[in-house]
Amino acid sequence: MTTTIRNRWLAGGLCLLLALPAMSATPAASEPLTLEQIMADPDWFGNPPENPYWSDDGRSIYYERDREGVGRQRKDLYRVDLATGKAVLVEPLQRARADAPGERNRERTRKVYLMHGDVFVKDLKTGAVRQVTRTAEAESEPHFLADGRRIWFHRGQETVLVYDTESGVTYEPADLKLAKDPADKDEGYLPEQQARLFDVIRQKQDREKDERREDRSLQSNDPTRSPSPWYLGKEVKIENTSLSPSGDWLAVVTSPKREEPQTKMPVYVSESGNVETRDVRPKVGPEGMIPHSVILLDLRKHERHDVDTSVLPGIKDDPLKALREAAEARKAVKEGQKKDEKKDEDKPKEPKARPLEVLDLAWSDDGRQLALALRARDNKDRWIATWDTAGGGALTPRHRLTDAAWVNWDFNDFGWLRDNETLWLLSEESGYSQLYRLSTQTGELRRLTPDGKYEVSLPIRSWDGRHIYYTANQEHPGKYDLWRVDVASGKAEQLTRLGGGYTHAVLSPDETQIAFL
């Protein structure tokens, strides 16, 4: 069985590789490679395929290539028939009718995907396609909710929309407003005196309060109305949002709103002939470390829960304390102070929690638990924690990865298994990135990949959650191959022997084949 599957996967990979056109002419071996040749257009060494994905019936593979002669600014789509190995160009006008990568519902009867920045839904039994949006603003990240009927997606950074495939209604599950709640009146002597002394002001305030109370009652009890707004304050901006599969909770990641001065970059070669300037990203460092905060919104009860990250182990540790103290001692000596001299301002202060970045959010399939990957802004710690919607609103730390030098930006993948109780995650706690499973019931952490000094990356969970596919250089540091591990038994098997490496592995719809570059 294993040999059959492996041969199928290699065949799928070869079909994609055989679809490559002949490379551009390269210098003969006797000709020296010049700096001018190296810095020329990258097409001189070939135009490789990118972003492969499977057709919905699993009989073809699509991939993109840079269009010749346009400076890699546009990409063409190709389709490879696996039976013949023949690749054909999908004309731009036909791309909307071609299959596209997307997400299937749990029953695997429908697929949601993006095309030209709009959302589409396809019935995989009949092949019928329905266009959900047609807007100038691009939509992103469409997902099915647990019922398989509703779809949610982002429009811009702040708007979350839900589309019901049965009713055809599109609605906002939560109206997020970056403003102060009108019900929170300014406090102070003068506003208080104005309301006390002037009947017209007091009557106006009472009337507005009654209208807000009536509007909120109607919005809560009338399903045809938009929901009551959530006022998050004008001091923050939204970094990310994630709707639970049940549709009852919305996780919102925020950061303090700052005025970020843009750096001016001169452009000397311009169409006008003048030196022009354009705004580029701010300089690194002056803004300081920007902390993230997480808010959980109960959409049924209209209750807000601010996640308390101070419970994370070591969050108030200062990993650079020794370096700071040494720098202060050198400064004191330089300024002529005695080392043992104490000042009032040098008294020990209550340690503060370090600023955090939210790397990613992952809901369990039943929508009850939210897993968060959190990283200290000083790059010394990474935590995996969970938040139970029925557990009273407390964050539960599950795993801590700490390194006095640096926690890698890579190897932070994680997610849930189908039992809604077990997490899988990558961790470098052994010195090498390895794959683990973590029970939220017992707290047990078990390594899934075989012992050894090698690197695991790019994990892919099978649809049923029984297997996880991953890349590993177990045989040799320079040889990366595809492996899979049985989550229950921990038995791992090597699926390819390429002698080099591969990228962008994609499972076929029935998960009997895999395409890769």
Side-chain angles (χ1 to χ4, degrees), residues 193-234:
Q193 288 295 308
Q194 291 292 96
R196 185 175 67 86
L197 297 176
F198 294 94
D199 291 340
V200 63
I201 293 179
R202 187 167 58 254
Q203 292 169 1
K204 176 178 177 292
Q205 292 177 348
D206 292 340
R207 185 173 63 254
E208 290 174 348
K209 187 182 299 183
D210 292 338
E211 289 174 351
R212 284 194 299 269
R213 187 182 299 111
E214 181 182 2
D215 288 342
R216 289 184 177 179
S217 177
L218 290 172
Q219 288 171 321
S220 300
N221 298 290
D222 185 353
T224 65
R225 287 175 173 259
S226 61
S228 300
W230 298 86
Y231 293 95
L232 304 182
K234 59 183 179 181

Side-chain angles (χ1 to χ4, degrees), residues 289-448:
M289 294 186 288
I290 302 174
H292 284 179
S293 299
V294 182
I295 304 168
L296 271 297
L297 303 179
D298 186 334
L299 304 183
R300 286 186 177 273
K301 300 179 180 178
H302 202 82
E303 293 178 353
R304 168 175 170 164
H305 302 264
D306 291 85
V307 176
D308 180 12
T309 57
S310 65
V311 300
L312 297 174
I315 185 64
K316 294 185 179 181
D317 294 346
D318 184 359
L320 303 177
K321 182 179 179 181
L323 294 176
R324 298 184 205 280
E325 291 179 346
E328 291 173 0
R330 288 193 299 270
K331 181 179 179 181
V333 172
K334 187 176 181 180
E335 294 177 354
Q337 300 174 2
K338 296 180 180 180
K339 292 184 180 181
D340 57 350
E341 185 179 13
K342 297 289 184 181
K343 294 185 176 181
D344 291 341
E345 58 267 25
D346 294 335
K347 292 181 180 179
K349 299 178 181 179
E350 179 71 21
K352 295 181 179 180
R354 287 179 282 162
L356 291 175
E357 175 191 11
V358 179
L359 294 176
D360 204 359
L361 305 169
W363 287 97
S364 57
D365 288 344
D366 60 5
R368 175 175 175 174
Q369 294 197 78
L370 174 68
L372 305 92
L374 306 164
R375 178 187 175 95
R377 284 292 193 181
D378 56 25
N379 303 312
K380 307 300 183 186
D381 279 283
R382 185 205 70 183
W383 296 269
I384 303 293
T386 59
W387 199 89
D388 193 328
T389 59
L395 189 69
T396 303
R398 299 295 182 182
H399 182 267
R400 179 188 181 188
L401 174 64
T402 185
D403 194 313
W406 189 271
V407 172
N408 207 321
W409 279 106
D410 298 320
F411 315 122
N412 292 306
D413 306 72
F414 76 109
W416 291 93
L417 297 180
R418 286 295 190 190
D419 62 3
N420 297 309
E421 296 178 353
T422 309
L423 290 163
W424 62 263
L425 61 118
L426 291 182
S427 176
E428 289 188 288
E429 56 196 70
S430 68
Y432 295 84
S433 172
Q434 295 294 322
L435 182 64
Y436 297 83
R437 61 174 292 174
L438 172 64
S439 171
T440 60
Q441 295 296 310
T442 65
E444 177 192 10
L445 180 71
R446 181 158 67 89
R447 179 168 164 171
L448 291 175

Side-chain angles (χ1 to χ4, degrees), residues 70-291:
V70 295
R72 294 179 176 259
Q73 295 178 3
R74 290 184 178 272
K75 296 183 184 295
D76 286 321
L77 182 68
Y78 291 81
R79 182 177 62 83
V80 183
D81 186 291
L82 294 186
T84 64
K86 182 181 179 180
V88 296
L89 172 68
V90 179
E91 296 295 338
L93 286 177
Q94 300 299 318
R95 291 191 71 159
R97 297 182 177 88
D99 292 338
E103 178 185 286
R104 287 170 166 76
N105 61 358
R106 292 188 185 182
E107 294 76 22
R108 300 173 77 85
T109 57
R110 290 173 174 170
K111 185 182 78 170
V112 61
Y113 60 95
L114 291 174
M115 181 70 70
H116 311 308
D118 287 310
V119 180
F120 291 76
V121 180
K122 182 175 183 178
D123 188 315
L124 296 176
K125 292 183 177 180
T126 65
V129 175
R130 182 188 304 181
Q131 185 170 359
V132 176
T133 65
R134 187 181 299 165
T135 61
E137 186 173 6
E139 282 76 40
S140 62
E141 301 178 279
H143 302 281
F144 278 102
L145 292 178
D147 56 22
R149 187 188 80 244
R150 292 174 296 165
I151 295 161
W152 76 275
F153 54 91
H154 287 101
R155 178 174 292 165
Q157 191 74 12
E158 302 170 6
T159 304
V160 175
L161 294 173
V162 174
Y163 171 73
D164 191 316
T165 58
E166 291 187 2
S167 67
V169 174
T170 300
Y171 62 92
E172 282 187 274
D175 181 13
L176 306 180
K177 294 187 178 297
L178 300 180
K180 180 182 176 181
D181 191 337
D184 298 334
K185 293 297 183 181
D186 294 329
E187 297 181 356
Y189 174 77
L190 187 57
E192 188 274 332
Q193 288 295 308
Q194 291 292 96
R196 185 175 67 86
L197 297 176
F198 294 94
D199 291 340
V200 63
I201 293 179
R202 187 167 58 254
Q203 292 169 1
K204 176 178 177 292
Q205 292 177 348
D206 292 340
R207 185 173 63 254
E208 290 174 348
K209 187 182 299 183
D210 292 338
E211 289 174 351
R212 284 194 299 269
R213 187 182 299 111
E214 181 182 2
D215 288 342
R216 289 184 177 179
S217 177
L218 290 172
Q219 288 171 321
S220 300
N221 298 290
D222 185 353
T224 65
R225 287 175 173 259
S226 61
S228 300
W230 298 86
Y231 293 95
L232 304 182
K234 59 183 179 181
E235 305 84 9
V236 301
K237 66 177 183 178
I238 296 174
E239 298 287 348
N240 191 16
T241 52
S242 181
L243 187 65
S244 69
S246 61
D248 297 336
W249 291 81
L250 182 69
V252 184
V253 180
T254 66
S255 66
K257 186 179 293 183
R258 299 189 180 188
E259 292 294 332
E260 297 183 352
Q262 297 295 315
T263 303
K264 300 291 184 181
M265 187 183 79
V267 179
Y268 296 101
V269 180
S270 63
E271 294 181 0
S272 68
N274 299 317
V275 177
E276 300 176 356
T277 61
R278 71 169 184 231
D279 291 332
V280 295
R281 63 169 177 78
K283 294 182 178 179
V284 176
E287 293 82 10
M289 294 186 288
I290 302 174

Side-chain angles (χ1 to χ4, degrees), residues 493-505:
E493 57 179 327
Q494 186 174 354
L495 300 173
T496 65
R497 296 185 184 276
L498 302 178
Y502 76 95
T503 60
H504 208 112

Side-chain angles (χ1 to χ4, degrees), residues 1-17:
M1 181 63 179
T2 301
T3 303
T4 303
I5 294 175
R6 182 179 296 127
N7 288 340
R8 287 177 179 173
W9 282 351
L10 288 175
L14 283 173
C15 284
L16 185 56
L17 294 174

